[in-house]
Amino acid sequence: MYAELKISICPVQTPEEFLGAGPREIPLPGKGLGGAYAELKMGGDGLGGFFSSDGPLYQFLDKVGHLVMLNIIWLLCCLPVITIIPATTAFYYATIKSIRRGHGYPVKEFFTSLKNNLKRGIPLSIVLVLLGILLTFNFKVAWQAQTKQSMAFAIVYLILLFFYAGFVIYICPVLSRFSIRMRALARMASGMVFRHLPVTILLMAGTGGCCVFLYSAVSAAQAAEDTTPMLAILFLLPGIWCFASTYLVEPVLRKYMPPKPEGDKSWYYE
């Protein structure tokens, strides 16, 4: 007794018909006499969708490219030193709004935020830079004295430096989100430092790690007389950390935002 093998032959199709939208079924051998069918998806799915402008690969490369662009602009805007706070505020604003949330064009949003925060950001930058230098200098002097009284002062200055670093980290996202008086902004950022201590420690560890890594890269580049790796790290690392830090900062900022009004479609409520 013989088994009857039936072979299904697909009708001949033109290339235009075959490459049209929608799935196509192609008979494949195996899986018993009945045969098996594999579904080849063309257009928006499968490999075609993966490499399309809406696919994950393109979206990833697009975000990385915009982060590098923002990174370079941020570095240039920080060169005058007195613009560090408004530049960093604009960096965070463009990263969370355009790159993570997908609203607006990153470079345009960066300069919009920079322009809006220059008036308040420049005096704040001057005060924070001078205060940071003063606290660091006093800590070094107290630490090097190596007396009981000086060590006590060193501990006090170390605590003040911790609070200072946390305040600097929080003030830029706060400045980018809330349109309130500077005194209220400073009070809000100050309260976040110890009220959200685990997040503060993570943010400080990540920021400190980036600074140490960048310093090591610069030192290695000077020793090897090859600046290519250093430039690659300099143009990538701050942007990557800024993007990653939004996942830590945004839950904190939401606790200080008013409840979402009914029907409000603002991007920061997403």
Side-chain angles (χ1 to χ4, degrees):
M1 193 165 181
Y2 299 94
E4 184 178 359
L5 176 65
K6 295 183 179 181
I7 302 176
S8 299
I9 301 178
C10 295
V12 177
Q13 293 177 306
T14 63
E16 292 78 7
E17 293 174 334
F18 182 77
L19 294 176
R24 293 290 185 270
E25 288 188 344
I26 300 178
L28 296 176
K31 291 188 179 181
L33 296 176
Y37 290 87
E39 190 174 59
L40 176 63
K41 297 182 178 180
M42 309 296 293
D45 301 323
L47 290 179
F50 184 80
F51 290 106
S52 70
S53 60
D54 295 326
L57 179 62
Y58 180 88
Q59 295 295 327
F60 172 76
L61 294 177
D62 183 63
K63 288 184 177 181
V64 171
H66 281 123
L67 276 176
V68 172
M69 190 182 305
L70 288 178
N71 202 145
I72 295 172
I73 297 171
W74 172 71
L75 288 170
L76 294 174
C77 290
C78 286
L79 289 178
V81 180
I82 62 173
T83 56
I84 288 178
I85 293 299
T88 306
T89 299
F91 196 9
Y92 181 88
Y93 179 81
T95 300
I96 182 62
K97 181 179 179 180
S98 296
I99 297 180
R100 185 177 163 190
R101 304 295 190 194
H103 293 270
Y105 187 68
V107 175
K108 180 181 178 182
E109 298 298 338
F110 181 95
F111 284 108
T112 298
S113 176
L114 182 67
K115 180 181 177 182
N116 292 338
N117 292 295
L118 272 178
K119 186 176 180 180
R120 295 191 296 177
I122 288 179
L124 186 59
S125 297
I126 296 173
V127 171
L128 289 177
V129 168
L130 293 177
L131 182 60
I133 293 173
L134 180 63
L135 288 174
T136 304
F137 176 78
N138 288 343
F139 171 74
K140 285 185 176 180
V141 171
W143 183 263
Q144 291 171 356
Q146 292 296 314
T147 64
K148 290 183 178 181
Q149 186 177 6
S150 67
M151 292 303 294
F153 277 110
I155 293 173
V156 172
Y157 284 123
L158 188 62
I159 296 172
L160 290 175
L161 279 170
F162 178 87
F163 176 78
Y164 167 83
F167 178 85
V168 171
I169 289 173
Y170 280 117
I171 192 62
C172 294
V174 169
L175 191 59
S176 74
R177 183 64 49 86
F178 301 99
S179 299
I180 54 180
R181 292 180 178 275
M182 183 55 69
R183 184 178 296 180
L185 286 173
R187 188 164 53 247
M188 183 183 296
S190 301
M192 290 177 178
V193 175
F194 292 105
R195 194 172 299 162
H196 308 281
L197 192 57
V199 176
T200 302
I201 293 173
L202 289 174
L203 288 170
M204 291 178 64
T207 305
C210 288
C211 293
V212 171
F213 195 77
L214 287 173
Y215 178 79
S216 302
V218 172
S219 301
Q222 290 176 345
E225 297 183 354
D226 183 10
T227 59
T228 303
M230 183 268 291
L231 290 175
I233 295 171
L234 187 63
F235 292 157
L236 275 172
L237 188 59
I240 292 173
W241 173 240
C242 184
F243 181 84
S245 67
T246 63
Y247 289 92
L248 295 171
V249 176
E250 284 303 304
V252 174
L253 293 181
R254 283 182 176 272
K255 295 179 180 180
Y256 297 84
M257 292 167 57
K260 180 180 178 180
E262 187 176 353
D264 193 328
K265 297 182 180 180
S266 300
W267 65 268
Y268 39 80
Y269 282 114
E270 293 180 1

